[in-house]
Amino acid sequence: MTQKSRVLIYSHDTFGLGHLRRCQGLAEAIVENFDHASVMILSGSPIIGSFEYRSRVDFVRVPGVIKLRNGEYTSLNPKIDIDETLSLRSSIIEHTASIYKPDIFIVDKEPYGLRGEVRPTLSLLKKQGTRLVLGLRDVLDDQEILAQEWARKDSYRALSDLYDDIWVYGLPSIYDPLAGLPISDAVRDKIVFTGYLRRQLPRFDPNHPQPFDGDPFILVTPGGGADGIELVDWVLRAYEAQERPLFPALIVLGPFMAHNDQLAFFERAQSLRNVKTMRFTPQLEPLINDAVALVGMGGYNTFCEALSFDKPTLLIPRVVPRREQAIRAEQAEKLGLCTHLPIDDYPDVSAITEALAELPDQPLPSQHFVPGLLDGWETIRELLAPFLETPALKRSLP
């Protein structure tokens, strides 16, 4: 262990905000709780610089890629093909790791990274004695599809031969992403379910405008927005039809929604007295905190935000390119943590209107107690403590 501990975090960032927000929160928690630790985030997100970071957190942005709805990848830069982009990314990641020399390397979701781009870095750091950690969200995909995908990518070998620890940012009482997969008892022993990652209000929160002059409102968020067209359109149809009285709605479209779609939604909202839209804010937490209820697609971060701010929540999950959101929404609904509306019902106006009208009176997530539900940061602090310096226990986790 070096005198000043170093943590390197990898996030492949091909679709939306989920991976980046999770890694950003992890970095913030580490420097908050370990006085001499520093964190470097490796990310392909084009908006990583839009967020504020604590002292001792920095990032390296690798060339970006986009995951299309059909599951294929393409480069963010149309002048560079995907193979060249992946080669650049892999080289930058390995070079950064060789110079930074982290004590711990945390890889988000993909055991070998996007298209295997982290393989050389994992081999390098394993030889140097770096602690290798694979961090998994609570739901990855349909288990049969995941089993085939990991077999094709040789991911099981990474779990057994490379990684020292496997963290699942969730609870087995809600979902076990590795259940039914052909993993050994030795790999199973590496797995720790941390609980979900609690979100908090920003430390420095300037006075943010009240979208409806202090009147109660519902917040609608499709996350990054690239795959949120149906969700936003469906909500707007309910307000345009006016079948039942509804609370006002603030719709945050997301930074990755296509520009033409954003313009169309802005124009439709302008004709509605009780709907407002905005493109993006890096600090969504204050708006969630102010809202009476939340509507989202069911991504990991939206789910954590709903639990953290204890909001009645309606999830309308996508089912392509993965069923992750649908699985999460279905499992959470069984426990009373939210309600969910299948996207197959789109564009039934009566269905979305009824769901929106009943949402504010829905029980709060906290009324359905799940032990350890939001203990993620506390668990991670305990897991990191033996490998970093003494944690600053006097401080609170995010």
Side-chain angles (χ1 to χ4, degrees), residues 9 11-27 41-51 53 59 108 199 256 280 301:
I9 301 176
S11 171
H12 65 282
D13 302 297
T14 62
F15 203 80
L17 291 169
H19 303 290
L20 174 60
R21 293 292 304 279
R22 188 161 52 246
C23 292
Q24 178 201 17
L26 181 56
I41 302 173
L42 292 159
S43 170
S45 173
I47 63 167
I48 187 171
S50 300
F51 297 90
Y53 299 89
F59 62 86
D108 189 68
R199 307 296 301 185
F256 301 128
F280 170 63
N301 281 303

Side-chain angles (χ1 to χ4, degrees), residues 218-223 231-232 235 239 249-252 291 293-298 302 306 311-316 352 355-356 359:
I218 294 171
L219 181 68
V220 181
T221 168
L231 168 65
V232 175
V235 169
Y239 284 86
L250 173 64
I251 305 175
V252 182
L294 180 64
V295 178
M297 294 179 63
T302 298
K311 298 298 176 179
T313 301
L314 170 65
L315 298 180
I316 305 175
I352 187 66
L356 290 171
L359 178 59

Side-chain angles (χ1 to χ4, degrees), residues 196-211:
Y196 289 87
L197 306 179
R198 185 187 299 272
R199 307 296 301 185
Q200 284 191 340
L201 292 172
R203 290 175 300 149
F204 305 108
D205 179 25
N207 292 329
H208 56 279
Q210 298 294 320

Side-chain angles (χ1 to χ4, degrees), residues 52-124:
E52 294 185 1
Y53 299 89
R54 292 177 184 268
S55 175
R56 294 181 280 122
V57 176
D58 209 338
F59 62 86
V60 173
R61 190 193 160 198
V62 298
V65 298
I66 303 172
K67 186 175 185 179
L68 305 174
R69 289 177 74 99
N70 64 5
E72 295 297 317
Y73 296 96
T74 186
S75 174
L76 267 178
N77 186 338
K79 302 294 185 182
I80 307 177
D81 69 32
I82 186 63
D83 291 332
E84 291 175 317
T85 299
L86 290 169
S87 179
L88 280 170
R89 287 168 59 103
S90 182
S91 178
I92 293 170
I93 292 166
E94 184 179 10
H95 187 63
T96 301
S98 67
I99 295 174
Y100 190 61
K101 294 181 174 60
D103 298 282
I104 299 176
F105 183 36
I106 303 173
V107 174
D108 189 68
K109 181 185 174 288
E110 290 285 346
Y112 287 121
L114 175 63
R115 296 273 187 92
E117 67 183 2
V118 182
R119 277 179 181 261
T121 302
L122 287 168
S123 298
L124 170 71

